[in-house]
Amino acid sequence: MRLLYIFSLLLFTNFVVAEEGIINEAKIRQLAEQAWALKNLDKNHQAEDIYLTLLEDPDLPLDISLDYMDLLVGQLRYREAAQFFRYRPMRPPSNDIQLNNRYAFKQAELLVAAGKYQKAVNWIEPYKEFKGNRVYSAYFYMMAGELDETNRLLDHLKDNIQYTPHEQKKANWLRMEKDRFWHRRVSAGMRIIDNPAYGQLTPIQAKFKSPIKNNWGRVGLDYYSLDSKYHLNLNLDRVIGFKDKYQLALLYSENQLGFKAGWKKRRGNYQISANAFYRDIETEVTVLMKDFALKDGLEIKAYYKPRNKLILGGSYNYTRYNLPNGDYIGEINTIHPYLVYIAKDKSPTLQHGVGWLNITGKGDTTYIPHKFDMFYYAISGLHYFGLNKSMINYGLSFGYMQGENFSGFAITPSLKMRYSLARDADLLGGVEYRKDNLTGDAETRANLDLEWRF
């Protein structure tokens, strides 16, 4: 019915043409409704042309200006939206509560995108108790770290017949996201890495994490064991609004002390992070690292989202590997630029990616490839289901590898899941199959962990 209404609206208003000096309010409203319909059909460029014509009128009604703001924010054009707010006077009349409400939440959206979470909360404070606002208000309070108020707003919706099942489901999902991030939790499980050419590894891992008073940050302890050797990671991180993160960690492996420091900054349409580490444990590269290798190095990652359908990203990594007794294994420089097209951004999501992976290394060739290039294509998706937002994440990538003394195609299908056993318990697992010429044979990886929050 909604699409039928939109198409009929477009047909009805198609004859309306912007003339020099828009004549009357009726035409303004007709054009605004046409722009709104085009926006809902994802015809953003056509919609924007109409809005820009309307904005030539200095007395344009505020609700239409806010519709234009919705268009900009929907395309992640936060800087343009903020400039629009700054340079075009837009103050709703004090007696129009609904317009003031919408204006305040639009300001809050831009402030969250800029990382100003407390200021965002200040804007919505007078309107948080409005019936239709509680779930979205809870989101802003959660971003600001005010979890008591977040809980109060969400609890008001629980089993309340005044709210639709859809609103209660959104509230439950937001509550679940908060619990998984901020509650104390402990997890334990094991991994299996099997390669016929190099053998099988079965590392065991356990983690504990707890928020610090007033949600200032989180403290955690990670344990990783492999072939009677173990690694401990005592870490402290400061998280702001689920986006910015600062981390310090003290590491211990086989009578060796190390450290790790990390920083991440995320805004509306970009993210950048950097991690430095010394005597950290290698857990991800390949089964070739089965000798409990320790690593020193630096990793930098960044991505930019110019539109809500495209992501440009890349990473650089330098890593030097040693055995716990100090024996040198080798070192690797990795460059990885990529491009992602988001075909569908709501569950089930769908995205396509292309990229280039380049590795140059030196050292023991048993462990370190001295030259490695791979161009690849990848498809992936994410599906949420169930009352407590269980998750399935699938992926498939393949590309052509070229290195010293080897070349050929590589394929890697993978499947990951988070299944909610109860409000306070999740089962996490995954399986990945790697077929390539680097490891010499097909390699299978699987993991299973139980997480409990208390």
Side-chain angles (χ1 to χ4, degrees):
M1 289 298 294
R2 187 184 183 195
L3 281 176
L4 181 61
Y5 168 71
I6 292 173
F7 280 119
S8 63
L9 181 62
L10 286 173
L11 289 173
F12 178 73
T13 59
N14 190 51
F15 68 91
V16 180
V17 179
E19 301 174 359
E20 184 177 355
I22 297 177
I23 299 173
N24 55 47
E25 186 177 347
K27 277 193 174 183
I28 290 176
R29 288 294 172 186
Q30 285 177 335
L31 285 169
E33 289 181 348
Q34 183 180 6
W36 175 87
L38 289 166
K39 177 170 70 72
N40 279 274
L41 291 171
D42 289 330
K43 297 182 178 180
N44 293 318
H45 292 299
Q46 294 169 270
E48 185 168 4
D49 288 340
I50 297 175
Y51 281 126
L52 291 176
T53 299
L54 291 169
L55 288 168
E56 293 176 2
D57 185 347
D59 299 319
L60 186 69
L62 177 58
D63 62 321
I64 298 176
S65 294
L66 292 176
D67 287 342
Y68 177 59
M69 295 288 300
D70 287 336
L71 178 74
L72 295 177
V73 171
Q75 297 181 79
L76 305 180
R77 294 159 64 183
Y78 296 104
R79 180 175 296 178
E80 292 176 59
Q83 289 174 342
F84 181 77
F85 253 134
R86 188 176 300 116
Y87 297 115
R88 186 179 181 92
M90 291 191 300
R91 288 293 178 185
S94 58
N95 61 348
D96 193 333
I97 296 177
Q98 291 301 326
L99 199 55
N100 275 273
N101 170 49
R102 188 180 174 197
Y103 180 83
F105 273 86
K106 195 56 60 184
Q107 284 277 24
E109 287 176 357
L110 296 180
L111 289 166
V112 164
K116 300 175 182 178
Y117 309 110
Q118 192 57 53
K119 288 185 178 180
V121 164
N122 293 341
W123 269 97
I124 67 167
E125 177 76 22
Y127 311 102
K128 64 183 180 181
E129 299 294 348
F130 285 19
K131 179 178 179 295
N133 287 351
R134 284 194 172 95
V135 176
Y136 203 26
S137 297
Y139 162 78
F140 287 108
Y141 278 96
M142 183 175 70
M143 294 297 290
E146 297 188 20
L147 299 192
D148 290 340
E149 185 63 13
T150 304
N151 290 332
R152 190 189 68 78
L153 290 165
L154 294 177
D155 288 343
H156 185 86
L157 278 71
K158 189 176 181 182
D159 301 324
N160 190 328
I161 60 174
Q162 295 182 357
Y163 295 89
T164 66
H166 176 68
E167 288 175 308
Q168 292 186 6
K169 183 178 181 180
K170 287 176 64 177
N172 189 72
W173 280 8
L174 187 59
R175 184 184 294 108
M176 201 71 192
E177 184 176 0
K178 171 184 64 66
D179 290 353
R180 285 169 175 165
F181 191 84
W182 277 117
H183 271 50
R184 290 189 304 272
R185 63 183 183 269
V186 61
S187 65
M190 69 178 299
R191 307 176 66 190
I192 297 176
I193 307 173
D194 183 64
N195 186 302
Y198 295 98
Q200 184 182 94
L201 300 178
T202 55
I204 296 173
Q205 55 192 15
K207 297 182 179 182
F208 168 78
K209 193 169 286 289
S210 176
I212 301 172
K213 187 178 180 180
N214 297 326
N215 302 309
W216 183 88
R218 301 178 299 181
V219 61
L221 180 65
D222 301 344
Y223 171 83
Y224 183 89
S225 174
L226 174 63
D227 292 340
S228 74
K229 301 181 179 68
Y230 68 92
H231 171 80
L232 289 176
N233 177 338
L234 178 62
N235 56 77
L236 171 68
D237 59 54
R238 170 79 166 118
V239 183
I240 306 173
F242 284 72
K243 294 185 177 182
D244 295 351
K245 181 178 180 180
Y246 308 87
Q247 182 185 40
L248 287 172
L250 181 65
L251 314 175
Y252 178 81
S253 305
E254 296 296 296
N255 298 317
Q256 301 283 342
L257 286 176
F259 74 90
K260 188 174 183 179
W263 168 79
K264 181 178 76 172
K265 181 178 182 179
R266 182 179 174 188
R267 290 296 179 259
N269 58 345
Y270 74 88
Q271 176 175 302
I272 183 169
S273 65
N275 291 286
F277 42 89
Y278 174 70
R279 296 195 180 279
D280 195 8
I281 184 72
E282 176 57 63
T283 61
E284 294 299 330
V285 175
T286 66
V287 73
L288 302 179
M289 292 297 178
K290 64 183 180 180
D291 286 308
F292 200 81
L294 300 177
K295 59 183 182 179
D296 314 329
L298 174 70
E299 177 186 61
I300 300 173
K301 295 181 179 180
Y303 75 73
Y304 174 65
K305 207 171 182 181
R307 291 290 184 268
N308 57 358
K309 292 289 186 181
L310 287 177
I311 297 175
L312 300 172
S315 65
Y316 170 77
N317 183 293
Y318 168 76
T319 307
R320 176 186 172 94
Y321 293 99
N322 298 278
L323 295 177
N325 63 8
D327 289 349
Y328 171 77
I329 297 176
E331 55 195 74
I332 289 178
N333 283 279
T334 304
I335 300 173
H336 179 205
Y338 61 85
L339 169 68
V340 174
Y341 170 70
I342 303 172
K344 189 172 182 296
D345 60 0
K346 294 182 180 178
S347 177
T349 67
L350 180 66
Q351 61 185 36
H352 306 272
V354 292
W356 170 58
L357 182 63
N358 170 262
I359 294 176
T360 55
K362 62 181 180 179
D364 190 335
T365 55
T366 305
Y367 295 91
I368 305 296
H370 286 185
K371 183 174 175 53
F372 172 91
D373 286 280
M374 182 172 72
F375 290 93
Y376 67 87
Y377 161 79
I379 183 172
S380 62
L382 183 68
H383 175 58
Y384 291 106
F385 63 96
L387 182 63
N388 291 327
K389 211 171 187 180
S390 297
M391 178 197 79
I392 292 178
N393 183 202
Y394 67 86
L396 174 65
S397 65
F398 57 88
Y400 186 79
M401 306 170 62
Q402 183 70 46
E404 288 187 350
N405 304 318
F406 69 89
S407 63
F409 286 95
I411 183 169
T412 304
S414 64
L415 183 68
K416 298 178 182 178
M417 70 153 188
R418 177 190 280 271
Y419 182 73
S420 177
L421 299 173
R423 169 77 184 273
D424 56 1
D426 288 349
L427 192 65
L428 295 85
V431 62
E432 182 180 287
Y433 177 82
R434 300 180 178 184
K435 177 68 174 177
D436 59 57
N437 287 10
L438 176 60
T439 56
D441 211 325
E443 182 177 288
T444 303
R445 294 174 174 234
N447 71 285
L448 190 66
D449 295 270
L450 178 64
E451 179 181 283
W452 176 53
R453 296 177 292 277
F454 58 98

